[in-house]
Structures are given as structure tokens and as C-alpha cells.
Amino acid sequence: MNAAIAPTAADDMPLRFPVLSVDGLAGTSFKPEHFAAILGERVRSGFFEVHAENYMGAGGPPHRALEAMRRDYPISLHGVCMSIGGPQALDKVHLARFRHLVERYEPALVSEHLAWSTHETRFYNDLLPVPYTRATLARVCDHIDEIQEAIRRPLLLENPSSYVVFRQSTMSETDFIRAVSRRTGCGLLLDINNVFVSATNHGFAARDYLADFPLSAVGEIHLAGHAEQADDEGAPLLIDSHDRPVADDVWKLYETVIAHCGPIPTLIEWDGKIPDWPSLRSEAAAAQAILDRHQ
């Protein structure tokens, strides 16, 4: 990630970008190594997602590249370090930088995770789960209200992938997410790979989870690849690794959701073992074909 320092006066100047829609489109994570290939595309379609924390520096090449992308493509701004589910107050400096990026690039979609990643002065390089209790619900809603007030627009909240469950949980994950959306007015980012990973790890049916998920609030879908391992007892253990193609079972779940809901903007996440641009583009093309069938 780039150093998170305040914008300079020059980089704080407002930029004018075209209004571009993501309706019915499939996109991919934007990786700098693909920049030249993307600019060389004859037909420009789809959209790109960037992690907000990678653009919290003052300027330089990362911002110049993102500005070039934003002129031709819609972007989705995806936060990974806000720690919405954490017990402590949101980091005001981090939130201010997040707000600045929303104002600067006018993304079509803005999202964060239902997770926590900080404790006191420690920062963890992971998205950790929360217990689904009334106390957690109140805290998460307060944090989302604060974020939405800062960015002056609805946030999309992403469902987690999980590897443990909490005995103290008093609500299901779908009920918890539904309550958050109703209380705050936020939208939802449905990560279907996360659903499949959690379902496999905890022994429930992914289709049952999706049948109970508040699909009417979904504003974006994520798809990604996962790694297959085994736990200490030899049971299947899936890791949300984002380092390989989308699994066939996840594609089947995705088509079921799109057939029910229509063409929701869909993002292919790929963050490790980055392939060449044509390979990543082909994953997005597969999602676009499904979206097109259900326009």
C-alpha cells in the first residue's frame, strides 16, 4: 500500500470526470501491471475496482494512473481497513481520507466489509469476523451511519467469508445483515464466493443462505477464486484467496442469483498470483455473458 499521508494542495484540486454507469456491467480488480494493456483496448467496456487504501497517498503515479482509468471507465471504491465491526471508534483520519477519495474520483460504487481489523493501536492484515449480537449490531450501525454521513451517499456492506463462529451469536448472519441494511439504509455487496466458502467451512447450504439473504438491497456482486485445504480433522477447509479463477460451483450460484434479481453489477476479484490481462478479462467476459442473458 502507498503511504497514507494527507493530500497536497495540488492533488486536492477538484477534477472533472464523466458520469459513467455500471448498470448491467461486469468488471475486474484494477492492477497496475495491466495498465498499459487496458489503455490499449480498442473497445472499452466494464468497470474497475480499486482498494481505497492503495490511493491514500498524496499523489504520484498511482493517482495519475487512476485518473486516466477514471476518464474512460467507471470505478468502484472498495475499502478494506475501516474496521466497521471493531469495538473502538472509527479512525477519523482514515475516514477523512476515504471521504476525500470519494469526492475526488466520484466512484459509481463505494463499499466496505462487515469485519474488524484494528485493536487499540494494532492493525491486522486480515478481515476478522464479528459475533452477531444486539451489541455488535448497534455498533456496526453507528459506524455505517458515520461513514455515510461523511461520504454523503449510501455505502455497500460486504458479507464476510468466515472460518469460525461465535457461541455468543444470537442472530444468523443473514438476519444481522438484513437488520443493518434496514436500520442504516446502506446497500449490500453480495460476495458469492464468500457465501460458498463459509457454507463449506461451516456445513450449511449456500443456496439456503442466498434464499434468506436480502437480495433486494444488493447493489454489487463479487466473484473470486478460493483455495482448497483440509482442517486438522481432515474436513474440507476453503480459503478466500482471490488467486485463481472462479469455481464452477460459484458460477452456478451466481447464475441463480442473476436469474432471480437481474443484471447486478459484478466484479471479479483477483489479488494474488495475478494473471495476464487477457486471462483476467476472460473471467469478466464470462460474468458479462451471464448478465447479458438476463438483461
Side-chain angles (χ1 to χ4, degrees):
M1 292 184 181
N2 303 313
I5 55 179
T8 64
D11 285 295
D12 201 34
M13 295 177 63
L15 300 171
R16 294 182 179 274
F17 293 112
V19 176
L20 302 173
S21 172
V22 294
D23 290 348
L25 294 182
T28 69
S29 303
F30 171 58
K31 301 304 176 186
E33 52 264 56
H34 296 152
F35 182 52
I38 293 169
L39 289 185
E41 294 275 75
R42 290 185 178 182
V43 178
R44 298 185 177 181
S45 62
F47 68 101
F48 291 93
E49 182 176 271
V50 296
H51 288 172
E53 287 73 12
N54 286 337
Y55 296 88
M56 288 185 175
H63 280 287
R64 302 293 85 79
L66 186 55
E67 288 166 6
M69 296 295 296
R70 178 62 183 85
R71 283 191 286 268
D72 293 326
Y73 295 94
I75 66 166
S76 172
L77 187 69
H78 192 46
V80 296
C81 296
M82 195 71 76
S83 202
I84 286 175
Q88 62 198 55
L90 297 180
D91 185 315
K92 306 298 186 191
V93 175
H94 186 89
L95 179 55
R97 291 169 177 153
F98 191 79
R99 182 190 68 238
H100 175 76
L101 287 173
V102 173
E103 294 171 347
R104 181 173 182 172
Y105 288 105
E106 302 174 88
L109 303 167
V110 181
S111 56
E112 248 288 358
H113 298 81
L114 176 57
W116 65 278
S117 55
T118 62
H119 179 64
E120 297 177 348
T121 60
R122 290 185 173 90
F123 296 83
Y124 301 100
N125 189 29
D126 207 343
L127 296 166
L128 301 169
V130 299
Y132 298 128
T133 65
R134 295 295 174 185
T136 307
L137 176 62
R139 183 169 62 247
V140 167
C141 289
D142 286 346
H143 288 168
I144 291 176
D145 285 341
E146 184 177 356
I147 295 168
Q148 293 186 142
E149 183 177 355
I151 66 175
R152 299 179 181 179
R153 60 187 293 174
L155 182 77
L156 300 180
L157 184 67
E158 179 178 346
N159 59 291
S161 58
S162 62
Y163 311 92
V164 297
V165 294
F166 293 90
R167 291 190 184 95
Q168 60 264 51
S169 289
T170 58
M171 310 168 66
S172 70
E173 184 170 288
T174 50
D175 284 344
F176 186 93
I177 290 172
R178 182 180 296 106
V180 170
S181 181
R182 285 177 176 172
R183 286 196 189 186
T184 66
C186 76
L188 301 176
L189 193 169
L190 173 60
D191 190 313
I192 296 180
N193 186 63
N194 285 357
V195 173
F196 185 78
V197 165
S198 297
T200 302
N201 291 344
H202 302 312
F204 62 83
R207 290 184 181 274
D208 290 345
Y209 178 102
L210 291 171
D212 193 45
F213 196 84
L215 294 173
S216 62
V218 174
E220 183 182 3
I221 289 174
H222 274 182
L223 301 173
H226 56 257
E228 299 181 4
Q229 300 182 10
D231 65 17
D232 292 341
E233 298 178 350
L237 175 65
L238 301 187
I239 305 297
D240 183 34
S241 55
H242 296 187
D243 64 354
R244 61 199 67 198
V246 178
D248 288 345
D249 287 335
V250 175
W251 279 121
K252 292 174 184 176
L253 291 172
Y254 172 64
E255 181 135 29
T256 298
V257 170
I258 296 302
H260 177 75
C261 298
I264 299 171
T266 301
L267 193 285
I268 304 293
E269 291 186 293
W270 202 315
D271 298 312
K273 302 178 184 176
I274 306 299
D276 59 18
W277 170 239
S279 298
L280 184 53
R281 180 180 55 191
S282 70
E283 287 284 284
Q288 188 66 63
I290 294 172
L291 292 171
D292 290 345
R293 286 202 296 271
H294 297 282
Q295 289 286 352

